[in-house]
Each structure stands twice: as C-alpha cells, then as structure tokens.
Amino acid sequence: CMENLGNKKLWHEPKIAVFLSRKAKREFVQKVLEWVKESPSEVCFTGPFHSQAEKCFLHYVLQNGGKAIWLLGKSLPEYLSREEDRAIDEGRLLIASFFHRDHFNAATNRFVNDIAAMHSKAILFGQISYDSFLYPFYQRLLEKRKDDVKLIS
C-alpha cells in the first residue's frame, strides 16, 4: 500500500531518475547542479534522494522552482523542510512511501530504485564506483536501456 503526500499529477510528467553515489564529492555535486540548470523546465526529477549528494540535488531542484518525485523505501517523513513544504503547496513535489518502516534497507532501496528507473525516460548516475551499491543496478540498466542512461563522473 502506497502512501503519498503532494501532487500525484507529477507522476504523468516526463521524468529523469537520479542516482548519486554516497561518496560523491562537493565539487562533483556542483557539476551535477550545473547540469540541472541546462535541463528542460518541464522535467520532473525522481529517485530515493537518500545519499547526501541526492539530498543536495533534491533541495537545489526545489529551491529553484523545479519538480520532483521523492520515492521512499520507508515511511513518510514526520517533518518537511521549508523547501519541501513550499514545493508541496505549489504542486511541485510528490513524496511516495511504499513501506511502513522507520528506516530503508537494501531490499526497499532496490525496490524504489527500480520504480524510479522504470517510470523515467532517462536515468542519471553520478560518480558511482565498481564497489558501489548502485553499480550492479547501473550495469543492468545500461544493458537494457543504453540510450537512456547517462553517467556523470
């Protein structure tokens, strides 16, 4: 059973799934944010936004008037940031939770990653290494959807 908060109509917008490594450096995050500036304004970004780099990405998108779907492998958050609150009020954010639990785990994380990729026209990976949790996922998507996958390193 999915719980959600925000604008469900965002689900029908063109989406780009975003997966950034936990080990991503600040300089790299700046590079990704520059890439966001060049993205078409109608694009809605989606993903788990779990790593520090992904959280930074989500907040940048929301602060700059962008749209996002935040997919959670755990329960909905009890509190929202000012940007998240404002984006929900303005219809620019959907938060969807697929599990009733305090924390995500590897299985719930894989599930929301798959949902994000499955429903996106393009998939962006950032600074992932061979030993990354994301690497097998990246390789699988690269085999199946080569033209849709972009890696920024």
Side-chain angles (χ1 to χ4, degrees):
C1 172
M2 183 179 95
E3 284 188 306
N4 60 73
L5 191 58
N7 184 357
K8 288 184 237 165
K9 291 179 183 165
L10 291 174
W11 201 252
H12 304 289
E13 306 252 336
K15 290 176 283 304
I16 295 176
V18 178
F19 304 100
L20 306 175
S21 170
R22 286 189 186 142
K23 298 173 186 168
K25 305 281 185 275
R26 182 181 296 281
E27 304 78 44
F28 170 74
V29 174
Q30 288 302 325
K31 189 175 175 179
V32 173
L33 299 183
E34 287 300 317
W35 179 85
V36 172
K37 286 180 190 172
E38 298 166 19
S39 301
S41 61
E42 72 272 6
V43 166
C44 181
F45 295 99
T46 187
F49 302 119
H50 182 73
S51 72
Q52 216 35 60
E54 290 169 348
K55 287 176 186 167
C56 180
F57 180 93
L58 174 63
H59 285 268
Y60 179 85
V61 166
L62 297 179
Q63 282 173 343
N64 289 281
K67 298 176 286 193
I69 299 172
W70 184 9
L71 301 173
L72 297 173
K74 61 184 191 119
S75 298
L76 289 171
E78 288 186 39
Y79 306 100
L80 298 175
S81 71
R82 196 178 352 233
E83 290 96 20
E84 294 160 358
D85 226 7
R86 192 179 84 217
I88 283 177
D89 288 346
E90 294 173 357
R92 297 183 293 107
L93 177 62
L94 172 63
I95 305 172
S97 162
F98 297 88
F99 301 93
H100 291 285
R101 49 184 301 126
D102 291 337
H103 304 284
F104 81 99
N105 63 26
T108 65
N109 200 38
R110 276 190 204 93
F111 179 83
V112 294
N113 286 355
D114 282 339
I115 295 289
M118 192 184 317
H119 293 278
S120 295
K121 66 176 191 165
I123 305 154
L124 173 70
F125 284 92
Q127 218 171 43
I128 57 169
S129 56
Y130 297 114
D131 60 349
S132 165
F133 174 83
L134 287 171
Y135 194 76
F137 180 55
Y138 164 72
Q139 285 210 293
R140 182 166 44 99
L141 288 172
L142 198 56
E143 285 172 19
K144 293 179 179 178
R145 298 178 57 186
K146 186 177 186 283
D147 295 339
D148 300 337
V149 176
K150 179 175 177 61
L151 174 64
I152 297 180
S153 48

